[in-house]
Amino acid sequence: MNDSANYVSLFQKNVGELRKYLLDPWPLSEERLQARRNYEEMLKNLKRRALAAQCDPDMIEPDFTALLNRFVNQNLDAETFLRQRDKVQAYERGRADMQAAIQMGAVPASFQASAHHSPAIPSQPDTTAAWHDPMAREARITPSVSEPEVPIDILEEPFANPPAPEADPLTFSQALQEYVEEDVTSGGNADARSAIQLVVQFLIDIMDDPVVARFDKRKVLELDQMLPDIPNRRNVPKEHAQTLAERYLYAKKHGWSRLDRLTETRLRNGYHNALSKFFDWLIERGHYPHPKPVFSHVSENNLTSLPRDSFDDSEIAKIFSQPLFTGCQSDKRIWQPGKYFIQSHLYWAYILLLLTGLRPGELGQLELNDIAERDGIHYLYLRGFDPSKGRVAKKDVKRFKTPSSQRVVPLHPLILDLGLLERVDELKQLGCPYLFPEWEPYPKPNGEMRWGQPITKSWQYLKKKTGMARKEVTLYSTRHWFADLIDNTKIKDVTRKRLMGHSPKSDIPARYGMKHRLTTRDLQHFEQAASPALDAITPILLAAKERVNCGDLVVLKPWLQEQNWSAYYQERLSELK
């Protein structure tokens, strides 16, 4: 098999040979198993060489991988059977030797009594499920009677694993349902739970919902090898992109010419970690009797991850020079220049992302009471609910990425100068408790809300409109920019962690002191935080406010009309009435 090998011919011939091997009668002899093992290794080497030569075996022979996997599984089952047979034979030899010793009087009476009460091995095995249990099949074979050859259909699994005596019949779909119910009840992280549901559902769909206790090392390896061959959603037709399994099967059928594989980070931090957590839970609950599996396989074809970068000064200027911030055509055409000044939820989303370091998913859930003044400073309180108002139902508790994400952030003076408190007062007068009632979240399949959808969709359009070509710049770059802004001050590291909502678990001093506000020293540094980009956009944003005062721009406030609120918030408000 060199670089000039005819892989088409090789795979066509070997598929034929595989089919012959799969018809081997049971049980296999040790010599036959060794020959099959040698052939298995040769096939794996052939596949590796073909892939290195940019030749996909499955494009030549679509059945090759399935047949090879079935062949490998047969070999594993045969090896297990031979080991079990050896143990049984050794036991029977020892038992026969003991009986002979008793008859010869070479064993004390106490040993005879023990042997008399030991459980007897039936001389004739039960044949009820003889062709489903390898041990039963072996028991039926005697030297004087040859067993007729039974043809085995290669489209079926020929060597079923013998069931473990203590096997738990729980399937993965049942285990996943149990896990989700328990995690929801205990208030687990919704995003982490969603990641586990996604990849475990792939296991269920692609491997026919196996029994958890029978998911052995062989099946672990099979799943580990599959994960890198899941494509991302790009160029996968919508009807084939609803689940990971559908995407995987689409790529297997149509090839990779227009598809991209997942990134290494997505595999390791997403799917591998999620499976690791799920198997931890299975083991803790006593559902999984094997050692904890390790998922680590990454293909050389998986994409590298792009590091997220902060915006540079010119990119910040491009964003905040758009008509949304300087004067737009209408509330429906916010990116076209015009005579109207509309400080919509998207207007404030970009401002707050930049000057508070919020995550996109933290914006849409903000309530009016989350903004409060203390000692002359206005703070944004990110919390599950307002404890000063008493207890709330669990369904009304706001979700955050991590417990540390609940934090207190002082509002930059520019935010107040642009009039955020005016919006707060006007909505209070209407009896609306939400800061952005026009914000429409996206419902996930599990019923939970994805809160970052409106600003994420807006950003995809804005990035194209402004011609930002850097791949490492995303909406999340506002958070990196805010971190850079803090780093350019003399704010203490403990305060930086609090502002960013990062965990202080490795920082003992960060766990002590007041959590609800910054020290006077840090507040002073925060208010004086400066950057060339901030110096550039401040006059642009304030100039639009000044044009309103001069009558050059007309203020529109569509969010003050209930018909313009999102369906989600209209329903929430109807529940409050």
Side-chain angles (χ1 to χ4, degrees):
M1 292 183 292
N2 52 35
D3 293 337
S4 60
N6 185 345
Y7 288 110
V8 174
S9 176
L10 283 172
F11 280 106
Q12 288 174 344
K13 290 179 180 178
N14 279 290
V15 162
E17 288 299 312
L18 266 175
R19 295 185 189 278
K20 293 177 183 177
Y21 270 108
L22 289 169
L23 290 172
D24 278 348
W26 181 271
L28 298 178
S29 67
E30 292 186 5
E31 294 76 13
R32 183 59 171 173
L33 177 59
Q34 184 58 48
R36 289 168 62 108
R37 283 295 194 193
N38 293 338
Y39 185 54
E40 175 187 329
E41 190 61 31
M42 187 277 291
L43 289 178
K44 290 178 177 177
N45 286 333
L46 172 62
K47 183 176 180 179
R48 282 193 289 268
R49 289 174 179 267
L51 291 173
Q54 305 299 313
C55 179
D56 187 350
D58 292 326
M59 295 297 290
I60 300 171
E61 284 288 344
D63 293 335
F64 174 76
T65 297
L67 292 174
L68 178 58
N69 288 340
R70 195 172 292 122
F71 180 62
V72 171
N73 293 344
Q74 282 188 5
N75 293 343
L76 288 169
D77 288 340
E79 186 175 358
T80 300
F81 168 73
L82 289 174
R83 286 199 303 267
Q84 291 175 331
R85 186 187 65 179
D86 290 343
K87 290 179 182 178
V88 171
Q89 289 174 344
Y91 171 80
E92 291 295 340
R93 283 195 299 269
R95 186 169 175 268
D97 290 344
M98 176 61 75
Q99 290 174 345
I102 292 173
Q103 292 173 3
M104 295 171 63
V107 178
S110 60
F111 278 84
Q112 295 183 36
S114 175
H116 178 74
H117 289 94
S118 63
I121 305 295
S123 59
Q124 294 297 325
D126 180 14
T127 59
T128 303
W131 289 104
H132 297 283
D133 187 343
M135 294 300 297
R137 284 183 291 193
E138 175 65 7
R140 293 175 62 193
I141 298 175
T142 64
S144 59
V145 180
S146 60
E147 193 71 16
E149 240 182 57
V150 178
I152 301 170
D153 188 346
I154 63 169
L155 298 179
E156 298 177 356
E157 188 68 43
F159 302 134
N161 287 330
E166 70 285 356
D168 183 346
L170 187 77
T171 65
F172 271 91
S173 61
Q174 293 169 331
L176 180 60
Q177 182 179 357
E178 181 182 331
Y179 168 82
V180 170
E181 291 174 354
E182 182 178 312
D183 195 60
V184 170
T185 302
S186 63
N189 182 275
D191 289 334
R193 182 169 61 250
S194 178
I196 288 173
Q197 288 178 276
L198 184 70
V199 70
V200 174
Q201 190 61 50
F202 173 75
L203 183 162
I204 293 167
D205 293 341
I206 214 71
M207 303 183 82
D208 297 325
D209 195 13
V211 173
V212 173
R214 296 181 184 177
F215 198 77
D216 55 17
K217 186 176 180 180
R218 171 172 54 85
K219 290 185 173 66
V220 169
L221 178 62
E222 185 179 351
L223 177 61
D224 199 25
Q225 297 288 325
M226 287 180 180
L227 293 174
D229 288 333
I230 300 173
N232 62 29
R233 291 178 177 275
R234 185 179 179 185
N235 292 330
V236 177
K238 189 174 181 180
E239 62 271 20
H240 297 290
Q242 301 304 310
T243 67
L244 295 184
E246 288 176 342
R247 283 154 53 183
Y248 173 85
L249 294 173
Y250 181 85
K252 294 289 286 185
K253 181 177 180 180
H254 297 279
W256 291 88
S257 60
R258 298 181 63 248
L259 304 179
D260 290 322
R261 283 177 168 81
L262 300 168
T263 65
E264 180 178 358
T265 299
R266 179 60 175 160
L267 271 176
R268 295 193 187 280
N269 297 348
Y271 300 164
H272 292 167
N273 280 356
L275 285 169
S276 178
K277 292 175 183 176
F278 186 66
F279 276 90
D280 276 337
W281 178 84
L282 289 174
I283 293 170
E284 288 175 4
R285 298 297 178 274
H287 297 317
Y288 192 67
H290 310 290
K292 180 183 173 181
V294 175
F295 297 93
S296 60
H297 182 59
V298 176
S299 166
E300 292 184 355
N301 294 318
N302 288 114
L303 302 179
T304 58
S305 299
L306 290 173
R308 290 168 173 167
D309 195 13
S310 174
F311 285 114
D312 62 33
D313 295 346
S314 63
E315 290 165 337
I316 293 292
K318 281 183 181 179
I319 293 173
F320 291 97
S321 297
Q322 295 302 308
L324 173 61
F325 306 99
T326 60
C328 61
Q329 193 172 113
S330 69
D331 61 333
K332 305 298 183 185
R333 298 179 178 273
I334 58 176
W335 303 114
Q336 304 299 322
K339 63 177 183 178
Y340 295 104
F341 186 58
I342 306 173
Q343 291 178 298
S344 66
H345 64 296
L346 293 177
Y347 173 98
W348 287 114
Y350 286 103
I351 298 290
L352 291 173
L353 287 176
L354 191 73
L355 295 178
T356 65
L358 265 65
R359 298 178 177 90
E362 294 171 339
L363 286 165
Q365 302 181 78
L366 293 177
E367 299 182 12
L368 303 184
N369 289 332
D370 291 336
I371 297 175
E373 181 266 340
R374 184 184 177 106
D375 299 331
I377 304 295
H378 283 85
Y379 294 90
L380 180 59
Y381 288 78
L382 295 176
R383 54 198 172 184
F385 64 97
D386 184 357
S388 67
K389 304 296 182 183
R391 297 184 179 90
V392 300
K394 287 187 66 174
K395 66 181 180 65
D396 295 327
V397 175
K398 287 175 275 189
R399 304 289 182 178
F400 291 91
K401 183 176 181 181
T402 65
S404 301
S405 298
Q406 299 192 52
R407 61 197 187 276
V408 180
V409 183
L411 293 180
H412 192 280
L414 180 58
I415 296 174
L416 304 179
D417 291 341
L418 292 174
L420 182 62
L421 297 182
E422 295 174 14
R423 170 185 267 255
V424 171
D425 291 339
E426 290 171 340
L427 288 170
K428 280 184 178 178
Q429 292 176 15
L430 292 175
C432 174
Y434 307 110
L435 186 59
F436 300 125
E438 69 267 48
W439 194 286
E440 183 71 77
Y442 172 77
K444 297 180 182 180
N446 61 6
E448 295 181 359
M449 294 297 170
R450 181 181 294 163
W451 283 97
Q453 193 83 346
I455 186 63
T456 301
K457 289 175 63 177
S458 168
W459 164 250
Q460 296 303 324
Y461 174 82
L462 180 59
K463 186 175 182 179
K464 291 181 181 178
K465 188 175 188 296
T466 55
M468 293 187 194
R470 289 201 296 149
K471 298 292 186 182
E472 67 269 33
V473 169
T474 67
L475 184 61
Y476 217 79
S477 295
T478 54
R479 188 164 161 79
H480 287 270
W481 186 90
F482 181 74
D484 289 342
L485 182 69
I486 297 173
D487 289 342
N488 289 330
T489 69
K490 294 181 180 180
I491 286 177
K492 298 188 296 293
D493 184 61
V494 60
T495 303
R496 184 190 192 277
K497 284 187 172 68
R498 290 175 181 172
L499 288 173
M500 298 299 297
H502 289 155
S503 173
K505 62 183 177 182
S506 59
D507 184 357
I508 297 299
R511 304 181 194 177
Y512 296 88
M514 297 187 69
K515 306 296 190 297
H516 62 272
R517 67 182 181 90
L518 277 64
T519 64
T520 304
R521 170 189 175 276
D522 286 338
L523 270 173
Q524 183 178 7
H525 286 301
F526 179 78
E527 290 184 348
Q528 295 174 355
S531 75
L534 195 55
D535 291 340
I537 67 173
T538 297
I540 294 174
L541 294 170
L542 293 178
K545 290 280 289 183
E546 186 61 31
R547 290 179 63 194
V548 169
N549 296 334
C550 296
D552 293 339
L553 291 177
V554 177
V555 174
L556 292 181
K557 299 181 179 181
W559 58 88
L560 296 183
Q561 300 174 13
E562 189 169 343
Q563 64 265 29
N564 292 323
W565 296 349
S566 70
Y568 174 83
Y569 275 127
Q570 287 190 35
E571 182 178 349
R572 290 289 298 273
L573 284 166
S574 66
E575 293 173 356
L576 294 176
K577 293 179 179 177

